[in-house]
Amino acid sequence: MKKKAFITGIAGQDGSYLAEHLLENNYEVYGIIRRNSITEHQRLRLNHLDNKITIEYGDLLDISSLENKIIKIKPDEIYNLAAQSHVRVSFDIPHFTVMNNAIGALNLFETVKNHSKNSKIYQASSSEMFGRCVDEDGYQREQTRFEPTSPYGCSKVFCFNLTKHYRIAYNLFAVNGILFNHESPRRGSNFVTSKVVKTAVRIKNKLDDKLVLGNLDSSRDWGHSKDYVKAMNLMMNHSKPDDFVVATGETRTVRKLCEYVFKKLDLDMDKYISQSEKFMRPEELKFLCGDSSKIKKELGWKPEYSFESMIDEMIEFWEKNHDKNVIEY
Ligand code: NAP
Ligand code: G4F
């Protein structure tokens, strides 16, 4: 019999790659999307999977929508990827971010505990939880303390603790994937990698003449979403529920990202890049670099993309899509 997977946030970057990965591995895939007034754009990342997956309206904040679906589907695996996932935006809409991410996850855990205790559950935890903390050797790992620096990070710490609590108190197979930044052509274009690549390609094509950014000195550990969804699935098929860091172990500043992209396109970045308060954060998470030895050793996870091959793929994608109203993924 085919295994059944239920994905919240299926229409997002990770949800769409995870759906593909699970289909390739012979799962039946179900997911929820929220009601949106513009229906045309909502399933763009999933259009190519039409007829292969089952999508229904549902919302983490509507517990009845979760109960109805989980009782009906009885999924073997539930991936909770739904979130207000933009850190900068979380300072503008802190109540919504915390309510959506934290109470949304609580609704899902209560639904599983009350109606489907055998469903395994994956929680999309984040390196944003580490905030100000870095170990003495310059890495963050499973043992590193959490000191989040944003409403988003605080909401994710709540969900991390909830996952452990439901694992211990109710014996649920509940896992935390502590994923560092991961990107792809499907990354929303207001995250820094997509914004830099898309704008640089438009500058090259004379459709834009400037790129306005916030902090250029913060460092991030950037991997590829396709590699990271494989890690999620490995964790769910481990012999026991546990928490794992997923990262590349390399870190670069936003400035270095810009240098790579502009050089690749043969553009002088100093002519086009400026900074604005608009894109700064009240508190910045300055440095991320993950140690993923545990998942490599225990689950055999290994990324296929390098930073360069990932950015090159994004450049190629935006070269085809930079002037389209409807993007083809
Ligand atoms: P994303 O592209 O922003 O996707 C998030 C999805 O969640 C969107 O489709 C969104 O739908 C949906 N969603 C939000 N609130 C919902 C709700 N109440 N009910 C149902 N669906 C809801 O994010 P991503 O990059 O794929 O990330 C997936 C998850 O991993 C997120 O939880 C994120 O916080 C976490 N994470 C991401 C990274 C990363 O670098 N990408 C790293 C660590 C952790 P709408 O389009 O309707 O808003
Ligand atoms: O691309 P970003 O917006 O990603 P951020 O804030 O690191 O968050 C992402 O990764 C987290 C994992 O650590 C996820 F949990 C979260 O859901 C999300 O996927 O910003 C990256 C860096 C930051 O230091 C930011 O200040 O780029 C800097 N930056 C500089 N100028 C900018 C800009 N970020 C954005 N979005 N836009 C700018 O103009």
Side-chain angles (χ1 to χ4, degrees):
M1 245 200 5
K2 282 188 167 189
K3 280 207 247 181
K4 292 182 194 171
F6 177 77
I7 307 174
T8 72
I10 193 166
Q13 170 187 248
D14 291 2
S16 61
Y17 283 121
L18 178 64
E20 280 170 16
H21 180 67
L22 295 173
L23 286 172
E24 280 162 20
N25 285 281
N26 209 28
Y27 281 73
E28 270 176 36
V29 177
Y30 300 82
I32 49 168
I33 55 170
R34 294 192 287 188
R35 192 265 163 179
N36 186 302
S37 65
I38 304 177
T39 45
E40 286 78 6
H41 292 187
Q42 222 188 338
R43 294 169 63 149
L44 274 185
R45 296 183 178 106
L46 299 171
N47 277 345
H48 62 297
L49 300 178
D50 258 358
N51 306 322
K52 295 191 183 138
I53 58 179
T54 307
I55 306 283
E56 289 181 6
Y57 283 110
D59 195 310
L60 277 190
L61 290 177
D62 182 338
I63 195 165
S64 67
S65 74
L66 302 175
E67 287 173 343
N68 291 340
K69 277 153 199 71
I70 285 171
I71 289 169
K72 187 172 70 178
I73 300 164
K74 285 264 178 263
D76 299 285
E77 297 174 14
I78 298 172
Y79 294 85
N80 185 29
L81 308 186
Q84 191 302 89
S85 73
H86 202 286
V87 175
R88 173 67 192 83
V89 173
S90 81
F91 292 100
D92 298 335
I93 49 168
H95 280 91
F96 173 75
T97 302
V98 173
M99 183 70 96
N100 190 53
N101 299 0
I103 304 304
L106 178 63
N107 284 342
L108 191 59
F109 275 103
E110 276 295 294
T111 302
V112 173
K113 181 194 91 184
N114 294 333
H115 303 290
S116 191
K117 277 195 83 172
N118 291 328
S119 298
K120 297 177 180 181
I121 181 160
Y122 172 92
Q123 171 57 30
S125 288
S126 164
S127 49
E128 185 72 19
M129 300 187 303
F130 295 122
R132 302 172 205 101
C133 290
V134 190
D135 288 357
E136 276 184 8
D137 64 356
Y139 289 91
Q140 286 113 346
R141 46 178 63 85
E142 288 81 2
Q143 295 78 16
T144 307
R145 233 180 33 252
F146 297 146
E147 272 192 34
T149 52
S150 63
Y152 168 83
C154 294
S155 76
K156 287 286 178 178
V157 172
F158 176 89
C159 299
F160 176 92
N161 287 326
L162 203 64
T163 306
K164 274 188 102 161
H165 167 57
Y166 275 69
R167 183 195 302 160
I168 293 165
Y170 305 111
N171 212 19
L172 297 189
F173 192 110
V175 308
N176 279 297
I178 309 171
L179 273 49
F180 282 60
N181 298 49
H182 46 281
E183 320 294 311
S184 74
R186 296 184 195 169
R187 183 61 138 157
S189 55
N190 57 352
F191 292 91
V192 79
T193 53
S194 273
K195 178 173 169 179
V196 169
V197 173
K198 181 181 176 185
T199 313
V201 168
R202 286 178 60 84
I203 290 171
K204 181 81 188 170
N205 286 279
K206 307 207 179 314
L207 293 169
D208 270 329
D209 55 10
K210 58 180 187 298
L211 168 60
V212 187
L213 292 169
N215 192 342
L216 301 180
D217 299 316
S218 52
S219 292
R220 290 292 181 273
D221 175 331
W222 281 296
H224 197 299
S225 173
K226 262 191 182 177
D227 283 329
Y228 286 34
V229 300
K230 291 179 189 162
M232 296 176 190
N233 184 233
L234 284 173
M235 289 177 218
M236 293 285 259
N237 286 283
H238 189 30
S239 51
K240 60 177 200 301
D242 203 351
D243 307 321
F244 292 92
V245 157
V246 183
T248 69
E250 287 178 16
T251 190
R252 287 173 181 76
T253 58
V254 173
R255 193 184 305 279
K256 285 274 171 214
L257 160 75
C258 295
E259 278 170 18
Y260 182 81
V261 174
F262 277 73
K263 186 157 183 253
K264 195 87 197 172
L265 291 167
D266 208 14
L267 293 169
D268 175 3
M269 71 179 228
D270 295 335
K271 272 171 58 185
Y272 302 104
I273 295 181
S274 60
Q275 286 176 283
S276 162
E277 270 302 315
K278 190 177 164 198
F279 300 109
M280 303 284 185
R281 299 163 185 203
E283 186 178 1
E284 175 66 87
L285 192 167
K286 296 195 180 91
F287 180 89
L288 284 174
C289 186
D291 172 4
S292 54
S293 316
K294 181 177 172 187
I295 191 167
K296 285 183 172 150
K297 187 161 167 264
E298 292 188 22
L299 305 183
W301 176 78
K302 195 167 163 269
E304 283 172 23
Y305 281 86
S306 63
F307 172 80
E308 290 78 11
S309 63
M310 174 182 77
I311 298 293
D312 292 353
E313 187 185 282
M314 291 174 73
I315 292 175
E316 203 181 308
F317 173 83
W318 282 111
E319 277 173 337
K320 285 192 200 126
N321 284 286
H322 68 270
D323 55 352
K324 293 202 176 120
N325 285 331
V326 179
I327 295 166
E328 285 167 31
Y329 287 103

